Amino acid sequence: MDASNKHEDAGKTLEAQAKAFFDSAPPLHNSHKISQDLNHFIQHNSSSLENGEARRIVCVTSGGTTAPLEQRCVRYVDNFSSGHRGATSTEYFLKAGYAVIFLHRRGSFQPFCRSLPDDPLLECFEPTNDLNIQVREAYSEAVKRAYMNHHTAVEGCLLLKLPFSTIFEYLQMLQMIAISMRCVGPRAMFYLAAAVSDYYVPWKDMVEHKIQSGSHLLDVKLVQVPKMLSVLRKDWAPQAFCISFKLETDSSILLNKANAALDKYNMHAVVANELLTRKERVVVVTSAEKITVLRDNSESANDVEDPLIKLLSERHTAYIEDSSR
Ligand code: 9Z3
């Protein structure tokens, strides 16, 4: 991007920057199917439960987005996130009675599969004497549990899994989800755990073919991704309960940065976490308080997401009650 373009972009309102991003992004391949699946899922979960209330729906984002460097992409800038937070949180949201739209990076951790080995297909199965395949004894409980939990959630229309890889796919899908969830009003929650690219190469500025090696310096200009959290809150789903995450490696700046994000993006809460301790400890920052949430180390199977989702679900209940007054 040259200096004049940069100047032009900096002068635009956020809405105009967002529009320019979407106008120039490569179109989603399967947007019609995604839209159909979303509408069906939301409609299904909007009908009343036995107690007369409608189910709450959360969109959990998970994993890192990529910023491609070439249109026929061979290389990209990636963002750190294994997807463990999002996958684990999805399990606890389902347990708490939510329907979950799991917007995740292709190939990242999946709900209910955390206790399986890295390569489950090769490690969990073995051939029998008649050359059929069976589950190895050591994994039989874990495979059965993963299969049953996953099957129950997906077949029961309580879990909708939507994969992305690039920042273009992620933001287009997040926008589609948010707009489809408008009708859910305050019962909708966004739990934005994905690690989203801060910088990207706009599609129109990107070379088509693989960048050739040979020159000493590779000069690629990356542009700031418009801050879509504000647009989500303001325009896409203004009634939804919104939680974002703040990740830092320097603990001395973490809480200030989380506070700043809370104000800047008008979030209902920001979950602050540090890279090294993210599975042990998070701090939920709201305008009124800072609550430290710790993993319960007395039980080996416990996750910090267990108390975290309990807390956020309670806060969401209070938010829904407040909204109906
Ligand atoms: C997080 O902070 C997540 O908790 C982690 C989870 C990515 C650390 P894992 O997937 O890790 O379990 O391996 N997500 C948000 C990260 C982020 O990029 N936030 C932006 C920021 O900090 C705001 S959107 O500026």
Short mmCIF file of all heavy atoms in Angstrom, two decimals, residues 195-246:
data_model
loop_
_atom_site.label_atom_id
_atom_site.label_comp_id
_atom_site.label_asym_id
_atom_site.label_seq_id
_atom_site.Cartn_x
_atom_site.Cartn_y
_atom_site.Cartn_z
N ALA A 195 -7.89 -15.97 17.43
CA ALA A 195 -6.79 -15.00 17.32
C ALA A 195 -6.83 -14.44 15.90
O ALA A 195 -6.49 -15.13 14.94
CB ALA A 195 -5.46 -15.68 17.61
N VAL A 196 -7.31 -13.21 15.80
CA VAL A 196 -7.62 -12.63 14.50
C VAL A 196 -6.45 -11.76 14.01
O VAL A 196 -5.92 -10.96 14.78
CB VAL A 196 -8.92 -11.78 14.61
CG1 VAL A 196 -9.30 -11.19 13.27
CG2 VAL A 196 -10.04 -12.64 15.16
N SER A 197 -6.10 -11.91 12.73
CA SER A 197 -4.98 -11.13 12.17
C SER A 197 -5.20 -9.64 12.40
O SER A 197 -6.29 -9.12 12.18
CB SER A 197 -4.90 -11.34 10.64
OG SER A 197 -5.08 -12.67 10.28
N ASP A 198 -4.16 -8.96 12.83
CA ASP A 198 -4.23 -7.50 12.96
C ASP A 198 -3.89 -6.84 11.62
O ASP A 198 -4.33 -5.73 11.35
CB ASP A 198 -3.22 -7.01 14.00
CG ASP A 198 -3.71 -7.27 15.41
OD1 ASP A 198 -4.92 -7.12 15.64
OD2 ASP A 198 -2.89 -7.66 16.26
N TYR A 199 -3.06 -7.51 10.82
CA TYR A 199 -2.61 -6.95 9.55
C TYR A 199 -2.84 -7.95 8.42
O TYR A 199 -2.76 -9.16 8.64
CB TYR A 199 -1.13 -6.58 9.62
CG TYR A 199 -0.89 -5.43 10.55
CD1 TYR A 199 -0.58 -5.65 11.89
CD2 TYR A 199 -1.01 -4.12 10.10
CE1 TYR A 199 -0.40 -4.57 12.77
CE2 TYR A 199 -0.83 -3.05 10.95
CZ TYR A 199 -0.53 -3.28 12.28
OH TYR A 199 -0.36 -2.23 13.13
N TYR A 200 -3.10 -7.45 7.24
CA TYR A 200 -3.33 -8.32 6.09
C TYR A 200 -2.94 -7.60 4.80
O TYR A 200 -2.73 -6.38 4.79
CB TYR A 200 -4.80 -8.75 6.04
CG TYR A 200 -5.75 -7.70 5.48
CD1 TYR A 200 -6.52 -7.95 4.35
CD2 TYR A 200 -5.85 -6.43 6.06
CE1 TYR A 200 -7.38 -6.98 3.83
CE2 TYR A 200 -6.70 -5.47 5.55
CZ TYR A 200 -7.45 -5.75 4.44
OH TYR A 200 -8.29 -4.79 3.92
N VAL A 201 -2.85 -8.37 3.71
CA VAL A 201 -2.63 -7.76 2.40
C VAL A 201 -3.99 -7.71 1.71
O VAL A 201 -4.61 -8.76 1.51
CB VAL A 201 -1.65 -8.59 1.53
CG1 VAL A 201 -1.40 -7.90 0.20
CG2 VAL A 201 -0.35 -8.84 2.27
N PRO A 202 -4.49 -6.50 1.36
CA PRO A 202 -5.78 -6.43 0.67
C PRO A 202 -5.72 -7.22 -0.64
O PRO A 202 -4.68 -7.25 -1.30
CB PRO A 202 -5.97 -4.94 0.40
CG PRO A 202 -5.13 -4.27 1.44
CD PRO A 202 -3.95 -5.16 1.65
N TRP A 203 -6.83 -7.88 -0.97
CA TRP A 203 -6.88 -8.79 -2.12
C TRP A 203 -6.40 -8.10 -3.39
O TRP A 203 -5.63 -8.65 -4.18
CB TRP A 203 -8.31 -9.30 -2.26
CG TRP A 203 -8.45 -10.45 -3.20
CD1 TRP A 203 -9.00 -10.43 -4.44
CD2 TRP A 203 -8.03 -11.80 -2.97
NE1 TRP A 203 -8.96 -11.69 -5.01
CE2 TRP A 203 -8.36 -12.55 -4.12
CE3 TRP A 203 -7.39 -12.46 -1.91
CZ2 TRP A 203 -8.09 -13.91 -4.25
CZ3 TRP A 203 -7.12 -13.81 -2.03
CH2 TRP A 203 -7.47 -14.51 -3.19
N LYS A 204 -6.81 -6.85 -3.56
CA LYS A 204 -6.47 -6.14 -4.81
C LYS A 204 -4.98 -5.80 -4.88
O LYS A 204 -4.44 -5.58 -5.96
CB LYS A 204 -7.34 -4.87 -4.97
CG LYS A 204 -7.17 -3.84 -3.89
CD LYS A 204 -8.01 -2.61 -4.16
CE LYS A 204 -8.09 -1.62 -3.01
NZ LYS A 204 -6.92 -1.41 -2.17
N ASP A 205 -4.29 -5.74 -3.73
CA ASP A 205 -2.86 -5.42 -3.72
C ASP A 205 -1.99 -6.68 -3.76
O ASP A 205 -0.76 -6.60 -3.77
CB ASP A 205 -2.47 -4.63 -2.45
CG ASP A 205 -3.23 -3.33 -2.34
OD1 ASP A 205 -3.74 -2.86 -3.37
OD2 ASP A 205 -3.33 -2.80 -1.22
N MET A 206 -2.65 -7.85 -3.73
CA MET A 206 -1.90 -9.10 -3.58
C MET A 206 -1.46 -9.62 -4.95
O MET A 206 -2.23 -9.53 -5.91
CB MET A 206 -2.88 -10.11 -2.96
CG MET A 206 -2.25 -11.18 -2.13
SD MET A 206 -3.56 -12.29 -1.57
CE MET A 206 -4.27 -11.44 -0.21
N VAL A 207 -0.24 -10.16 -5.04
CA VAL A 207 0.18 -10.75 -6.31
C VAL A 207 -0.63 -12.02 -6.53
O VAL A 207 -1.09 -12.65 -5.58
CB VAL A 207 1.70 -11.10 -6.32
CG1 VAL A 207 2.54 -9.84 -6.25
CG2 VAL A 207 2.05 -12.04 -5.17
N GLU A 208 -0.82 -12.37 -7.81
CA GLU A 208 -1.63 -13.57 -8.08
C GLU A 208 -0.83 -14.84 -7.82
O GLU A 208 -1.27 -15.76 -7.13
CB GLU A 208 -2.13 -13.55 -9.54
CG GLU A 208 -2.99 -14.78 -9.83
CD GLU A 208 -3.44 -14.85 -11.28
OE1 GLU A 208 -3.23 -13.88 -12.03
OE2 GLU A 208 -4.00 -15.91 -11.65
N HIS A 209 0.39 -14.87 -8.35
CA HIS A 209 1.16 -16.12 -8.32
C HIS A 209 2.18 -16.15 -7.18
O HIS A 209 2.49 -15.12 -6.59
CB HIS A 209 1.87 -16.31 -9.67
CG HIS A 209 0.88 -16.56 -10.77
ND1 HIS A 209 0.22 -17.75 -10.90
CD2 HIS A 209 0.41 -15.76 -11.75
CE1 HIS A 209 -0.60 -17.69 -11.93
NE2 HIS A 209 -0.51 -16.48 -12.46
N LYS A 210 2.69 -17.31 -6.96
CA LYS A 210 3.68 -17.55 -5.91
C LYS A 210 4.82 -16.53 -6.00
O LYS A 210 5.40 -16.35 -7.08
CB LYS A 210 4.22 -18.97 -6.05
CG LYS A 210 5.21 -19.34 -5.01
CD LYS A 210 5.70 -20.78 -5.19
CE LYS A 210 6.88 -21.01 -4.28
NZ LYS A 210 7.97 -21.68 -4.94
N ILE A 211 5.13 -15.89 -4.88
CA ILE A 211 6.26 -14.94 -4.86
C ILE A 211 7.54 -15.72 -5.10
O ILE A 211 7.77 -16.75 -4.46
CB ILE A 211 6.31 -14.22 -3.48
CG1 ILE A 211 5.03 -13.42 -3.25
CG2 ILE A 211 7.55 -13.34 -3.37
CD1 ILE A 211 4.87 -12.87 -1.85
N GLN A 212 8.35 -15.24 -6.04
CA GLN A 212 9.58 -15.95 -6.39
C GLN A 212 10.70 -15.61 -5.41
O GLN A 212 10.81 -14.47 -4.96
CB GLN A 212 10.00 -15.58 -7.82
CG GLN A 212 8.99 -16.03 -8.87
CD GLN A 212 8.81 -17.55 -8.90
OE1 GLN A 212 9.79 -18.27 -9.10
NE2 GLN A 212 7.59 -18.03 -8.70
N SER A 213 11.49 -16.62 -5.08
CA SER A 213 12.62 -16.36 -4.19
C SER A 213 13.77 -15.80 -5.04
O SER A 213 13.71 -15.87 -6.27
CB SER A 213 13.06 -17.65 -3.50
OG SER A 213 13.45 -18.57 -4.46
N GLY A 214 14.79 -15.29 -4.41
CA GLY A 214 15.94 -14.82 -5.18
C GLY A 214 16.39 -13.44 -4.76
O GLY A 214 17.57 -13.16 -4.77
N SER A 215 15.42 -12.57 -4.35
CA SER A 215 15.91 -11.26 -3.95
C SER A 215 16.20 -11.30 -2.45
O SER A 215 15.57 -12.06 -1.70
CB SER A 215 14.90 -10.17 -4.29
OG SER A 215 13.78 -10.31 -3.50
N HIS A 216 17.11 -10.50 -2.01
CA HIS A 216 17.57 -10.52 -0.63
C HIS A 216 16.47 -10.10 0.35
O HIS A 216 16.35 -10.64 1.44
CB HIS A 216 18.79 -9.59 -0.53
CG HIS A 216 19.36 -9.49 0.84
ND1 HIS A 216 19.80 -10.60 1.54
CD2 HIS A 216 19.55 -8.43 1.67
CE1 HIS A 216 20.23 -10.23 2.72
NE2 HIS A 216 20.09 -8.92 2.82
N LEU A 217 15.68 -9.12 -0.08
CA LEU A 217 14.62 -8.61 0.80
C LEU A 217 13.26 -8.91 0.19
O LEU A 217 13.07 -8.76 -1.02
CB LEU A 217 14.73 -7.09 0.91
CG LEU A 217 15.66 -6.53 1.97
CD1 LEU A 217 15.72 -5.02 1.85
CD2 LEU A 217 15.19 -6.93 3.36
N LEU A 218 12.31 -9.32 1.03
CA LEU A 218 10.94 -9.49 0.54
C LEU A 218 10.14 -8.31 1.08
O LEU A 218 9.99 -8.15 2.30
CB LEU A 218 10.35 -10.81 1.03
CG LEU A 218 8.88 -11.04 0.69
CD1 LEU A 218 8.66 -11.06 -0.81
CD2 LEU A 218 8.38 -12.34 1.31
N ASP A 219 9.66 -7.48 0.18
CA ASP A 219 8.98 -6.26 0.60
C ASP A 219 7.47 -6.45 0.44
O ASP A 219 6.93 -6.33 -0.64
CB ASP A 219 9.49 -5.11 -0.29
CG ASP A 219 8.98 -3.77 0.20
OD1 ASP A 219 8.45 -3.73 1.32
OD2 ASP A 219 9.11 -2.79 -0.54
N VAL A 220 6.79 -6.79 1.56
CA VAL A 220 5.33 -6.96 1.50
C VAL A 220 4.73 -5.95 2.46
O VAL A 220 5.14 -5.88 3.62
CB VAL A 220 4.92 -8.39 1.95
CG1 VAL A 220 3.41 -8.56 1.88
CG2 VAL A 220 5.61 -9.44 1.12
N LYS A 221 3.76 -5.19 1.99
CA LYS A 221 3.15 -4.19 2.87
C LYS A 221 1.83 -4.72 3.41
O LYS A 221 0.95 -5.10 2.64
CB LYS A 221 2.95 -2.88 2.12
CG LYS A 221 4.28 -2.27 1.72
CD LYS A 221 4.19 -0.75 1.55
CE LYS A 221 5.56 -0.13 1.33
NZ LYS A 221 6.27 -0.64 0.15
N LEU A 222 1.73 -4.74 4.71
CA LEU A 222 0.51 -5.23 5.35
C LEU A 222 -0.28 -4.03 5.88
O LEU A 222 0.29 -3.06 6.36
CB LEU A 222 0.85 -6.17 6.51
CG LEU A 222 1.63 -7.44 6.12
CD1 LEU A 222 2.15 -8.15 7.35
CD2 LEU A 222 0.76 -8.38 5.32
N VAL A 223 -1.59 -4.11 5.79
CA VAL A 223 -2.47 -3.02 6.17
C VAL A 223 -3.27 -3.47 7.39
O VAL A 223 -3.57 -4.66 7.53
CB VAL A 223 -3.45 -2.75 5.00
CG1 VAL A 223 -4.47 -1.70 5.36
CG2 VAL A 223 -2.69 -2.35 3.76
N GLN A 224 -3.62 -2.53 8.25
CA GLN A 224 -4.37 -2.91 9.45
C GLN A 224 -5.78 -3.42 9.08
O GLN A 224 -6.46 -2.80 8.25
CB GLN A 224 -4.49 -1.72 10.39
CG GLN A 224 -4.93 -2.15 11.77
CD GLN A 224 -4.84 -1.04 12.79
OE1 GLN A 224 -5.07 0.12 12.46
NE2 GLN A 224 -4.52 -1.39 14.01
N VAL A 225 -6.18 -4.51 9.70
CA VAL A 225 -7.54 -5.03 9.49
C VAL A 225 -8.51 -4.11 10.24
O VAL A 225 -8.25 -3.77 11.40
CB VAL A 225 -7.64 -6.48 10.06
CG1 VAL A 225 -9.07 -6.99 9.99
CG2 VAL A 225 -6.68 -7.41 9.33
N PRO A 226 -9.61 -3.67 9.59
CA PRO A 226 -10.55 -2.81 10.32
C PRO A 226 -11.05 -3.49 11.59
O PRO A 226 -11.22 -4.70 11.61
CB PRO A 226 -11.71 -2.63 9.32
CG PRO A 226 -11.18 -3.02 8.00
CD PRO A 226 -10.03 -3.95 8.21
N LYS A 227 -11.25 -2.71 12.64
CA LYS A 227 -11.63 -3.27 13.95
C LYS A 227 -13.11 -3.67 13.93
O LYS A 227 -13.99 -2.89 14.27
CB LYS A 227 -11.36 -2.24 15.06
CG LYS A 227 -9.89 -1.91 15.19
CD LYS A 227 -9.12 -3.09 15.73
CE LYS A 227 -7.63 -2.83 15.85
NZ LYS A 227 -6.82 -4.03 16.05
N MET A 228 -13.37 -4.88 13.52
CA MET A 228 -14.75 -5.33 13.31
C MET A 228 -15.52 -5.55 14.61
O MET A 228 -16.74 -5.66 14.57
CB MET A 228 -14.77 -6.61 12.49
CG MET A 228 -14.17 -6.46 11.12
SD MET A 228 -15.13 -5.37 10.03
CE MET A 228 -14.24 -5.61 8.49
N LEU A 229 -14.82 -5.63 15.75
CA LEU A 229 -15.55 -5.82 17.01
C LEU A 229 -16.54 -4.67 17.24
O LEU A 229 -17.67 -4.88 17.68
CB LEU A 229 -14.60 -5.91 18.21
CG LEU A 229 -13.72 -7.15 18.31
CD1 LEU A 229 -12.92 -7.13 19.61
CD2 LEU A 229 -14.56 -8.40 18.25
N SER A 230 -16.10 -3.45 16.90
CA SER A 230 -16.98 -2.29 17.07
C SER A 230 -18.19 -2.40 16.15
O SER A 230 -19.31 -2.06 16.54
CB SER A 230 -16.27 -0.99 16.70
OG SER A 230 -15.10 -0.85 17.43
N VAL A 231 -17.94 -2.86 14.92
CA VAL A 231 -19.02 -2.96 13.94
C VAL A 231 -20.02 -4.05 14.37
O VAL A 231 -21.23 -3.89 14.26
CB VAL A 231 -18.46 -3.25 12.52
CG1 VAL A 231 -19.54 -3.11 11.47
CG2 VAL A 231 -17.29 -2.35 12.20
N LEU A 232 -19.48 -5.14 14.89
CA LEU A 232 -20.32 -6.23 15.40
C LEU A 232 -21.27 -5.71 16.48
O LEU A 232 -22.48 -5.94 16.44
CB LEU A 232 -19.42 -7.34 15.98
CG LEU A 232 -20.10 -8.45 16.79
CD1 LEU A 232 -20.82 -9.42 15.89
CD2 LEU A 232 -19.09 -9.21 17.63
N ARG A 233 -20.71 -4.95 17.44
CA ARG A 233 -21.51 -4.43 18.56
C ARG A 233 -22.54 -3.41 18.09
O ARG A 233 -23.68 -3.39 18.54
CB ARG A 233 -20.58 -3.75 19.58
CG ARG A 233 -19.99 -4.63 20.60
CD ARG A 233 -21.03 -5.17 21.57
NE ARG A 233 -21.50 -4.16 22.51
CZ ARG A 233 -22.77 -3.93 22.78
NH1 ARG A 233 -23.73 -4.59 22.17
NH2 ARG A 233 -23.12 -3.02 23.67
N LYS A 234 -22.08 -2.55 17.18
CA LYS A 234 -22.91 -1.41 16.81
C LYS A 234 -23.95 -1.76 15.75
O LYS A 234 -25.11 -1.38 15.88
CB LYS A 234 -21.99 -0.30 16.26
CG LYS A 234 -22.48 1.09 16.57
CD LYS A 234 -21.37 2.08 16.40
CE LYS A 234 -21.78 3.11 15.43
NZ LYS A 234 -21.28 3.48 14.29
N ASP A 235 -23.51 -2.50 14.73
CA ASP A 235 -24.39 -2.68 13.57
C ASP A 235 -24.90 -4.10 13.38
O ASP A 235 -26.05 -4.31 13.05
CB ASP A 235 -23.65 -2.29 12.27
CG ASP A 235 -23.25 -0.84 12.28
OD1 ASP A 235 -23.93 -0.04 12.94
OD2 ASP A 235 -22.24 -0.50 11.63
N TRP A 236 -24.01 -5.09 13.51
CA TRP A 236 -24.40 -6.44 13.13
C TRP A 236 -25.36 -7.07 14.13
O TRP A 236 -26.37 -7.65 13.74
CB TRP A 236 -23.17 -7.35 12.95
CG TRP A 236 -22.21 -6.92 11.89
CD1 TRP A 236 -22.43 -5.97 10.92
CD2 TRP A 236 -20.88 -7.40 11.70
NE1 TRP A 236 -21.31 -5.85 10.13
CE2 TRP A 236 -20.35 -6.71 10.58
CE3 TRP A 236 -20.08 -8.34 12.34
CZ2 TRP A 236 -19.06 -6.94 10.11
CZ3 TRP A 236 -18.80 -8.57 11.88
CH2 TRP A 236 -18.30 -7.88 10.77
N ALA A 237 -25.02 -7.00 15.40
CA ALA A 237 -25.86 -7.67 16.42
C ALA A 237 -25.87 -6.84 17.70
O ALA A 237 -25.31 -7.23 18.72
CB ALA A 237 -25.31 -9.08 16.70
N PRO A 238 -26.51 -5.67 17.65
CA PRO A 238 -26.38 -4.72 18.76
C PRO A 238 -26.97 -5.20 20.10
O PRO A 238 -26.60 -4.69 21.15
CB PRO A 238 -27.13 -3.47 18.27
CG PRO A 238 -27.88 -3.88 17.05
CD PRO A 238 -27.27 -5.13 16.52
N GLN A 239 -27.86 -6.22 20.04
CA GLN A 239 -28.45 -6.67 21.31
C GLN A 239 -27.71 -7.85 21.94
O GLN A 239 -28.00 -8.26 23.05
CB GLN A 239 -29.89 -7.11 21.07
CG GLN A 239 -30.86 -5.95 20.85
CD GLN A 239 -32.26 -6.51 20.73
OE1 GLN A 239 -32.60 -7.13 19.73
NE2 GLN A 239 -33.05 -6.34 21.77
N ALA A 240 -26.76 -8.41 21.19
CA ALA A 240 -26.08 -9.62 21.69
C ALA A 240 -25.12 -9.29 22.83
O ALA A 240 -24.60 -8.18 22.94
CB ALA A 240 -25.32 -10.28 20.54
N PHE A 241 -24.88 -10.29 23.68
CA PHE A 241 -23.94 -10.19 24.80
C PHE A 241 -22.56 -10.56 24.24
O PHE A 241 -22.39 -11.67 23.72
CB PHE A 241 -24.40 -11.19 25.87
CG PHE A 241 -23.69 -11.08 27.18
CD1 PHE A 241 -23.74 -9.92 27.94
CD2 PHE A 241 -23.01 -12.18 27.70
CE1 PHE A 241 -23.11 -9.84 29.17
CE2 PHE A 241 -22.37 -12.11 28.93
CZ PHE A 241 -22.42 -10.94 29.66
N CYS A 242 -21.61 -9.63 24.32
CA CYS A 242 -20.34 -9.83 23.60
C CYS A 242 -19.12 -9.92 24.52
O CYS A 242 -18.86 -9.00 25.30
CB CYS A 242 -20.11 -8.68 22.62
SG CYS A 242 -21.19 -8.79 21.21
N ILE A 243 -18.40 -11.02 24.35
CA ILE A 243 -17.18 -11.25 25.14
C ILE A 243 -16.01 -11.37 24.17
O ILE A 243 -16.04 -12.20 23.26
CB ILE A 243 -17.25 -12.63 25.88
CG1 ILE A 243 -18.60 -12.86 26.56
CG2 ILE A 243 -16.08 -12.81 26.83
CD1 ILE A 243 -18.91 -11.91 27.65
N SER A 244 -14.98 -10.54 24.37
CA SER A 244 -13.79 -10.74 23.54
C SER A 244 -12.62 -11.16 24.44
O SER A 244 -12.74 -11.14 25.67
CB SER A 244 -13.45 -9.48 22.74
OG SER A 244 -12.98 -8.48 23.60
N PHE A 245 -11.52 -11.53 23.82
CA PHE A 245 -10.35 -11.98 24.56
C PHE A 245 -9.19 -11.02 24.29
O PHE A 245 -9.09 -10.44 23.21
CB PHE A 245 -9.94 -13.39 24.11
CG PHE A 245 -10.74 -14.47 24.77
CD1 PHE A 245 -12.07 -14.66 24.45
CD2 PHE A 245 -10.16 -15.28 25.74
CE1 PHE A 245 -12.82 -15.64 25.08
CE2 PHE A 245 -10.90 -16.27 26.38
CZ PHE A 245 -12.23 -16.45 26.05
N LYS A 246 -8.33 -10.88 25.28
CA LYS A 246 -7.10 -10.12 25.09
C LYS A 246 -5.93 -11.01 25.49
O LYS A 246 -5.89 -11.53 26.60
CB LYS A 246 -7.16 -8.84 25.95
CG LYS A 246 -5.93 -7.99 25.92
CD LYS A 246 -5.43 -7.63 24.55
CE LYS A 246 -6.15 -6.55 23.82
NZ LYS A 246 -5.59 -6.29 22.48
#
